[in-house]
Amino acid sequence: MHAIAHLATLTPLAVAAALQAEPATAEAASGVLGQQIVTGLSNGMIIALIAIGYTMVYGIIELINFAHGDLCTLGAFFALMLVGALGMEAWSGVAGMAGVVLLLAGAAAFCALFNWSIDRVVYRPLRSAPKLTLLVSAIGCSFVLVNLALFWGGLPMEVFGGGVAAAAPKDFPAMVPDSSLLPDAWDSWVSAEAFLRSSPSWNDPSVWWLTWAPRVALAVLVKSRELNFTTSDLLVWCVTLPLMVALTGLVRCTRLGKAMRAVAQNPTAASLMGIDVDRVIGAAFLIGGALGGFASVIYALYNNTISFQMGYRTGMDAFTAAVLGGIGSMPGAVVGGLLIGVARAISDGYIEARWTNSVVFAILIATLVFRPSGLLGAKLRDKV
Amino acid sequence: MKNRTLPLLASLALASVALAQTGTLKIVSSLPRTGSANAQTTSMVNGIKMAIDEVGGQIDGMKIEYEDMDDASPQRGNWDPAVEAQNANRAVRDESVIGYIGTYNSGASKISMPILNKAGLVMISPGNTYPGLTKPGMGEANEPRIYRPSGKINYFRVVPTDDLQGRVAAEWAKELGCTSVYLLDDRELYGKGIADVFEKRAKELGLRVLGREGIDPKASNYKALANKIKASGADLVYYGGTTQTNAGQIAKDLRSAGVTSKYMVPDGCFEEAFILAAGAENLEGRTFITFGGLPANQLQGRGAKFREAYIARYRVEPEAYALYGYEAGRVLLDAVKRAKAKTREGVLEAVRSTRDFEGALGTWSFDENGDTTSRIMSGQSVEGGKFKFVKVLGQ
């Protein structure tokens, strides 16, 4: 009770301070943490989306599909080619939104088919081979895809800078504006604040219990006004969250999902029950590839740069996320991805950028020491 | 086994000696030809070829041969230490090679300098700007001694070094009205080196340094860092890095995080690829690029003639470093012409004694460390999606 009373006397002060401070100084500095978390979550969602691709394939055939990150690179190149071929850079408004949907659908279809073909051509003939053979072929696939992207970037198209420098980072047009959304939302709260201030109970300390909740809400809003939550952040969240929910639904509630879980548990028994194992595995590659395709477009629209090495690097982060969350576990991949995204942002913001990779791997090591199977992983089996 | 390889080696050695005697002198260059520096290095190679063609491809009846070696690998998309070492060793083994033009990246020269030094082969860099390669006391304590195991100097460069460029960059920042600066570097030899010099000079000039970070040049974005920079309120962000180490992505993330400060980068970003990677709208009116030399369209005299000939031959504007490729080629060929004995030692001696050379950037000499005495630097901005010459710096 005493604590609450204490809080009540503090909050008006905090609100007053926050409202009066120069935007560039005190308020901005305290707003940085929230900003870093927003940035970290957005980055983390992209990582998580790719991590699901790793973890899904691993869950079913115990293969770390190293080519998955590079598949995303190809997805991004495909998207950029679509942008160039259809002249999407000039699309705006509704057409721009339709363009984004088209890119998402196009890249997802492309990556799904490509991933399925990789499985069909490379991994399927090796189904009964030792796990290490499969792993080495995955690394080989990764190299092939990187070089394919290098070749692709050298095509003489305007969006690739005329193809003069194949390996140069490519600018991906900002089809989703980077403008902040929150100041607009804030404006509608200004009138609410004026209304509150004019009410007699606001300035009457004896009825603090009536006003402390609005005061806290107001303080949070003042802080959030400083946040730079942009349309591209919104895009990342709006594409990623429903995809994760849909995927969980698919695995939990559909026949295909049931078949996948069965194959993951025991392929032989599953095939004895009449499940077409190859088809189920093919479906996993199809879905994982589609997610990779979505991730590649989100990545491209969020960062506005793609390069032939982007997938390798982001793939590393995603793979780390999958291991951190417990490889084979889809919720684990999501948690791992978000955790790594936020940890990176916090480390960049409060430690130093050059320590960021060390921080991420320190978290990974610390987690694996205490939970060898990852945060949400199943019990440990012999794995590659 | 022994019996078989020995005669083979002997005959190979004989063959190469014979080759040298029949009057072929070979020049090689080692530049990153795979990767995003490709546009830059292509124009440097063009410059070298033009220098060779100017002397008619022969000196005193001896044919000048040229080989364009690549020191990059597709995996790295940038120079690769293993490939650079391989190139240097190949050049040393080939007896007809009398000059090694390279490298573009200072880090690469660290690898090849000791190899070529032991062989007494002259090396002229058209692109290295890291001071420690030649100047005692400017880099690590054991630099440049570790690059000269034979104790003699065989490495020369035709570009002014970063201790000059970082200095004039800080001075320019002050001139532009900046009072506080946030420093970033890519943790590579070149980028970190030039940022160090900038930091030192900036402090001398009374600019407040609000932060200094080494970034991960392969990260997908720098939004978190940009948030931090925004909160710091710095009015200039200086990045010691190159297009290949993501200078373009930084420009994007600064703008999208709402950082309104100016953005200054060194000559590693003075190439079209930088504007392409960053997107012109992210650079427009806020980006400043320093360069150890003059952009091609500002050249006078011999330099202007070079630009004319280059455009006539290749139908494009030369990139910033084309001139230095040309200059490196010319000064090497000039030394070959002056050398009494057309051997590695003779040519090395002749290069070392280069004084008052009539270069494309005016008259210059090699000093006792092997550096050019040329001091011309320039500052550029980005306008209308193109580099725009602003002024001559440091004079």
Side-chain angles (χ1 to χ4, degrees), chain B residues 271-284:
Chain B
E271 51 178 357
E272 283 297 316
F274 171 60
I275 299 183
L276 280 176
E281 71 280 8
N282 296 311
L283 301 176
E284 204 73 25

Side-chain angles (χ1 to χ4, degrees), chain A:
Chain A
M1 199 60 196
H2 179 74
I4 295 175
H6 190 61
L7 182 76
T9 53
L10 265 181
T11 38
L13 278 177
V15 172
L19 283 174
Q20 281 158 16
E22 286 287 317
T25 57
E27 212 177 315
S30 57
V32 170
L33 178 61
Q35 185 62 59
Q36 298 296 36
I37 292 174
V38 168
T39 304
L41 284 176
S42 295
N43 274 320
M45 282 185 196
I46 299 173
I47 296 173
L49 212 48
I50 301 174
I52 292 177
Y54 278 96
T55 220
M56 207 161 129
V57 166
Y58 186 87
I60 294 178
I61 56 172
E62 290 190 18
L63 161 72
I64 295 166
N65 183 14
F66 278 111
H68 188 69
D70 304 305
L71 181 78
C72 297
T73 310
L74 292 187
F77 275 79
F78 180 79
L80 186 54
M81 206 175 75
L82 270 187
V83 169
L86 302 178
M88 275 189 209
E89 284 158 86
W91 297 10
S92 61
V94 181
M97 260 147 70
V100 171
V101 173
L102 187 68
L103 284 184
L104 283 168
F110 171 80
C111 287
L113 283 177
F114 206 103
N115 210 27
W116 181 84
S117 318
I118 292 175
D119 174 55
R120 185 69 192 80
V121 176
V122 184
Y123 302 144
R124 193 159 148 188
L126 298 172
R127 214 68 99 200
S128 53
K131 289 274 178 277
L132 212 54
T133 315
L134 214 55
L135 187 74
V136 173
S137 344
I139 295 172
C141 278
S142 161
F143 279 129
V144 172
L145 297 195
V146 168
N147 283 289
L148 206 58
L150 194 56
F151 170 78
W152 202 337
L155 294 182
M157 283 186 73
E158 205 183 320
V159 281
F160 295 135
V164 271
K170 315 282 179 224
D171 182 44
F172 199 97
M175 299 179 60
V176 180
D178 255 338
S179 50
S180 184
L181 295 169
L182 291 173
D184 295 343
W186 163 258
D187 286 344
S188 55
W189 282 95
V190 173
S191 46
E193 188 205 348
F195 171 76
L196 280 174
R197 282 188 188 283
S198 65
S199 74
S201 53
W202 185 270
N203 297 312
D204 182 357
S206 64
V207 288
W208 59 265
W209 45 271
L210 255 180
T211 53
W212 77 267
R215 279 173 203 271
V216 170
L218 208 57
V220 169
L221 276 163
V222 168
K223 289 266 183 272
S224 73
R225 187 194 184 191
E226 283 306 306
L227 281 186
N228 185 23
F229 187 83
T230 65
T231 326
S232 53
D233 284 309
L234 187 71
L235 172 85
V236 172
W237 295 28
C238 283
V239 172
T240 311
L241 291 175
L243 273 177
M244 288 171 181
V245 172
L247 191 69
T248 315
L250 181 119
V251 173
R252 291 252 170 93
C253 311
T254 61
R255 274 175 70 88
L256 178 64
K258 210 174 188 178
M260 280 175 159
R261 281 179 288 145
V263 173
Q265 215 162 51
N266 189 332
T268 322
S271 68
L272 288 175
M273 295 296 136
I275 294 172
D276 185 343
V277 174
D278 275 332
R279 228 178 113 176
V280 171
I281 295 175
F285 273 92
L286 211 58
I287 296 168
L291 287 175
F294 282 118
S296 65
V297 174
I298 297 287
Y299 178 104
L301 289 173
Y302 187 64
N303 295 323
N304 299 120
T305 309
I306 63 171
S307 86
F308 76 105
Q309 286 171 318
M310 65 177 245
Y312 175 75
R313 181 49 207 275
T314 319
M316 267 320 195
D317 277 343
F319 174 61
T320 314
V323 174
L324 181 64
I327 192 149
S329 151
M330 277 186 222
V334 175
V335 171
L338 294 181
L339 203 64
I340 285 185
V342 173
R344 291 195 80 95
I346 299 283
S347 165
D348 274 357
Y350 294 95
I351 308 175
E352 248 191 74
R354 65 189 164 127
W355 292 109
T356 297
N357 284 335
S358 319
V359 167
V360 167
F361 284 97
I363 293 175
L364 179 72
I365 292 167
T367 310
L368 294 186
V369 166
F370 295 108
R371 289 190 66 93
S373 50
L375 289 172
L376 303 177
K379 70 171 173 53
L380 199 65
R381 284 178 290 174
D382 279 338
K383 288 168 184 173
V384 182

